[in-house]
Amino acid sequence: MKLYKKSFKGIALAAFSVLALSACSDWTDSESIKLKEPGIDEQSPELYAKYLKNLREYKNSDHKIVYGWFDNSEKVPFSRGQHMSDVPDSLDVIIATTPDLAEFELEDIASVHEKGTKVFYSISYDNILKEHTDKVKEGTETSAFSAYLSAELNRLIALEAPFDGIVAEYRGSNPIYMSEADKAEAKANQDTFFSVMSNWKSANSGKQLVFQGYPANLIGQSVLSSCDHIILITNDVTDVAQLGIEALQALMADGVPADRFIVSASTVSLDTTDKTTGYYNALRALSEAAYWVTEPSAEFTKAGLAIENMQNDYYNATNTYQYVREAINIMNPAPKK
């Protein structure tokens, strides 16, 4: 994929930046306080309209795509950091971790849609499997997993209306190490999971389907060809070189397209004693992964980056979402004059 020559930073208008200085700090913003300073859209509607036009053109251009998982589990927010509308404008896709939305979140989605930002949610096969296993152990579930899986898929897919797409997450297990009986059962469950995803995609041509997981663990599936991107699970690697290794391993499986790989990396933990999450050794994983995405590859297309725990990066002393913004600018730099 050709690197787009205009970055979000490059298209932002100078006058818009000046107006942005009037925005107040929101570290201790409370939802109960109704005081509201005039927004940039109110101070200069024409300038803001031009900014949004340029922003949407950028989102529709050929550039490195950036996804970001956003923890929206808090339904009574007490900080701007809990609002999807406050993520960087240059982000392409927000992945909401909780598909059940409150009223303020519907308003946030409408706000980010104006900027050309899409909002997805994730349906995880592995989470459904874990929930069923835990409930069986607790004695609160007696149905077979196949029946539980179908019921949960029907429940979750019914929440899709406000969203622009779905991330179908399947980690699973490598079938090479399965008995024939286990392999047949795994395939039957995979078929149930991905048939729901594929049927949904066929019925919603204007929306997007993305795969997240390990392609090598799929058994006779053709779903990847209809997915806009393949998000590789690389947020737990400890070295940037492993990103390429994971991509090459994914290509060893049958029927895996090589033109749509997205690697994942995490922000650092809010727990200051955690020196591993979000790091490759002592280096920030986001920046290192972003640089890796810009390097050419003959074997596969580096389509972009997916950022785990994006909301953690809101809380920086000098700039909200400082390292998310930095990663986006690394991959989509402003043109040099």
Side-chain angles (χ1 to χ4, degrees), residues 122-136 141 144-157 169 189 192-193 196-197:
S122 177
I123 297 180
S124 171
Y125 173 92
D126 301 271
N127 285 351
I128 296 173
L129 177 59
K130 184 180 185 304
E131 289 169 2
H132 178 262
T133 301
D134 291 344
K135 289 180 178 180
V136 168
E141 182 63 53
F145 175 64
S146 58
Y148 185 85
L149 174 63
S150 294
E152 275 299 286
L153 288 173
N154 289 335
R155 181 184 71 83
L156 291 168
I157 208 77
E169 181 186 2
N189 289 329
T192 298
F193 182 73
V196 170
M197 300 295 108

Side-chain angles (χ1 to χ4, degrees), residues 4-215:
Y4 185 57
K5 300 302 182 183
K6 261 188 181 180
S7 72
F8 167 77
K9 182 178 179 181
I11 66 164
L13 301 170
F16 177 78
S17 299
V18 172
L19 287 171
L21 294 176
S22 65
C24 62
S25 173
D26 50 18
W27 278 83
T28 57
D29 179 37
S30 172
E31 291 301 304
S32 61
I33 296 177
K34 300 302 181 182
L35 296 176
K36 183 179 182 295
E37 295 189 5
I40 296 169
D41 55 334
E42 296 172 341
Q43 294 179 49
S44 181
E46 292 183 3
L47 191 58
Y48 186 64
K50 187 174 182 180
Y51 166 78
L52 290 179
K53 178 177 179 293
N54 288 343
L55 182 58
R56 288 191 292 266
E57 288 176 354
Y58 162 74
K59 297 284 180 72
N60 291 324
S61 71
D62 183 14
H63 66 288
K64 300 297 185 184
I65 303 298
V66 184
Y67 292 78
W69 277 272
F70 186 88
D71 182 355
N72 65 316
S73 56
E74 178 56 66
K75 300 305 178 183
V76 184
F78 50 85
S79 164
R80 294 304 308 175
Q82 294 162 329
H83 282 264
M84 285 185 277
S85 56
D86 278 50
V87 306
D89 291 352
S90 47
L91 190 78
D92 293 284
V93 180
I94 300 167
I95 307 174
T97 60
T98 305
D100 298 284
L101 301 177
E103 185 62 32
F104 81 91
E105 292 175 299
L106 295 173
E107 295 173 2
D108 280 355
I109 289 177
S111 174
V112 300
H113 276 169
E114 288 187 344
K115 304 170 185 177
T117 305
K118 297 176 180 177
V119 183
F120 292 10
Y121 72 108
S122 177
I123 297 180
S124 171
Y125 173 92
D126 301 271
N127 285 351
I128 296 173
L129 177 59
K130 184 180 185 304
E131 289 169 2
H132 178 262
T133 301
D134 291 344
K135 289 180 178 180
V136 168
K137 289 180 180 178
E138 296 166 356
T140 57
E141 182 63 53
T142 58
S143 66
F145 175 64
S146 58
Y148 185 85
L149 174 63
S150 294
E152 275 299 286
L153 288 173
N154 289 335
R155 181 184 71 83
L156 291 168
I157 208 77
L159 301 173
E160 62 84 30
F163 297 95
D164 305 294
I166 292 176
V167 177
E169 181 186 2
Y170 185 91
R171 302 190 181 209
S173 301
N174 195 320
I176 293 176
Y177 305 106
M178 294 180 183
S179 66
E180 287 303 313
D182 288 343
K183 186 175 179 179
E185 182 181 5
K187 180 171 177 10
N189 289 329
Q190 275 186 31
D191 289 347
T192 298
F193 182 73
F194 287 112
S195 65
V196 170
M197 300 295 108
S198 296
N199 290 340
W200 170 83
K201 180 65 173 68
S202 297
N204 294 273
S205 59
K207 297 193 176 187
Q208 294 177 268
L209 178 64
V210 171
F211 173 84
Q212 179 193 7
Y214 300 109

